[in-house]
Amino acid sequence: TARKRFGQNFLHDHSIIYNILASAHPQTGEHWVEIGPGLGALTLPLLESGAKLDVVELDRDLVSRLQKQFAGHSNLTVHSADALNFDFAALAQAGEKLRIIGNLPYNISTPLMFHLLETTDCVEDMLFMLQKEVVDRICAEPGSKKYGRLSVMMQYYCETELLFDVPPESFDPIPQVMSAIVRLTPHAQPPVNIPDLKSFSQLVTQAFSQRRKTIRNSLKNFIAEQQIIDLGIDANLRAESISLAEFALLSAHSQANTTG
Ligand code: SAM
């Protein structure tokens, strides 16, 4: 009775569950947060590690099922809530870093990750099951076809690492896409200095919305060709060849930035 609108595909492959837990390596004394626990495939092994665990589940029927199933576990708190507007930072005690895990509902995975990126100062790392296509885009390097806005933004906030692929047959019901596990580790220090994240994000979005064009053309409302050249960047390149550091430079010198 999986609910499609909640993106429910339940993991049942024990070797995959084992590999996820081996990568996560939860330990006593740590504070974990699971997003979308569903029927509890990852929840039980997380609890058995002795770690403190908060889970956030939107489906109320699953929430009451989880509460019954794990009634004996005093290290668990079940939150009946929408992860998209859940205040994750409020879970962290002073000085504590959260470890976040989830087999995410794919229909909301990108906005959910951007929501979580707002609280990275209290996050140790995040281990997510996502569509493989999305993991490939998150981890893509300049020059790759998959390199885009998601790569640039995620890599600004986090070190990104594809851990392993997960085939559709590992789930019930079987999804139409290949999945993969990614580890996102927030940088202790930002890799580049970006004074105005909002205008940076707008410039990156603009550059990739016309990814076949050279940046001389696609960014002409942001920065003049001569300025691009003065920054030591080839204005005839396309967005897919521009590194995070170069985007940061372009943004710092763009009109949108100087005129506010
Ligand atoms: N973790 C389970 C597993 O691996 O079998 C379930 C994964 S299933 C792909 C996604 C889960 O996220 C479902 O339990 C679904 O009800 C829940 N969910 C969907 N949207 C959500 C939201 N906005 N906030 C919190 N949980 C959500």
Side-chain angles (χ1 to χ4, degrees):
T1 59
R3 291 185 167 133
K4 215 172 172 171
R5 73 193 155 101
F6 290 141
Q8 291 175 354
N9 298 89
F10 300 110
L11 192 57
H12 62 67
D13 181 327
H14 287 281
S15 71
I16 298 288
I17 294 170
Y18 178 87
N19 286 339
I20 294 173
L21 267 295
S23 302
H25 195 55
Q27 286 177 289
T28 312
E30 291 178 343
H31 188 171
W32 281 78
V33 179
E34 186 188 3
I35 300 172
L39 299 174
L42 302 175
T43 316
L44 180 61
L46 283 167
L47 284 172
E48 286 174 339
S49 74
K52 181 176 168 190
L53 178 64
D54 284 85
V55 301
V56 182
E57 174 57 61
L58 180 60
D59 184 334
R60 293 207 181 140
D61 291 339
L62 290 179
V63 167
S64 45
R65 198 180 177 281
L66 290 158
Q67 275 161 343
K68 285 193 200 99
Q69 184 181 356
F70 298 116
H73 293 263
S74 59
N75 50 338
L76 175 68
T77 308
V78 180
H79 302 267
S80 178
D82 182 347
L84 277 175
N85 46 44
F86 188 80
D87 185 358
F88 290 94
L91 295 177
Q93 309 286 325
E96 189 181 50
K97 294 245 184 184
L98 303 172
R99 301 194 66 198
I100 302 183
I101 191 168
N103 170 5
L104 299 187
Y106 295 168
N107 49 337
I108 59 159
S109 62
T110 305
L112 184 55
M113 283 188 289
F114 279 103
H115 173 58
L116 286 162
L117 292 176
E118 291 163 14
T119 59
T120 46
D121 39 334
C122 61
V123 174
E124 181 71 36
D125 59 3
M126 301 179 266
L127 199 70
F128 291 140
M129 171 98 72
L130 299 168
Q131 250 175 277
K132 177 168 172 57
E133 168 66 26
V134 175
V135 173
D136 286 344
R137 287 198 276 127
I138 289 172
C139 301
E141 301 283 340
S144 140
K145 276 209 180 70
K146 309 246 163 150
Y147 181 69
R149 177 183 119 84
L150 193 61
S151 332
V152 174
M153 298 309 295
M154 295 300 286
Q155 291 170 26
Y156 167 69
Y157 288 100
C158 300
E159 187 188 317
T160 66
E161 189 188 355
L162 164 80
L163 297 185
F164 54 89
D165 294 348
V166 181
E169 301 73 37
S170 308
F171 302 90
D172 182 25
I174 297 176
Q176 281 174 345
V177 293
M178 192 71 176
S179 300
I181 302 287
V182 67
R183 192 198 310 272
L184 305 171
T185 310
H187 298 297
Q189 296 293 325
V192 291
N193 179 30
I194 299 177
D196 182 348
L197 259 175
K198 196 167 166 231
S199 61
F200 172 78
S201 165
Q202 285 167 349
L203 180 139
V204 172
T205 302
Q206 171 63 24
F208 284 105
S209 70
Q210 300 182 309
R211 60 184 296 145
R212 305 300 304 160
K213 289 193 178 175
T214 64
I215 55 167
R216 172 165 51 100
N217 285 318
S218 63
L219 293 180
K220 64 169 174 263
N221 293 330
F222 285 80
I223 185 163
E225 178 178 5
Q226 190 56 49
Q227 263 185 301
I228 300 179
I229 296 165
D230 290 347
L231 292 172
I233 299 170
D234 182 349
N236 291 315
L237 293 175
R238 294 174 181 159
E240 71 178 37
S241 308
I242 305 296
S243 69
L244 169 60
E246 288 168 329
F247 274 123
L249 263 181
L250 291 166
S251 169
H253 293 83
S254 76
Q255 266 153 26
N257 198 56
T258 49
T259 57

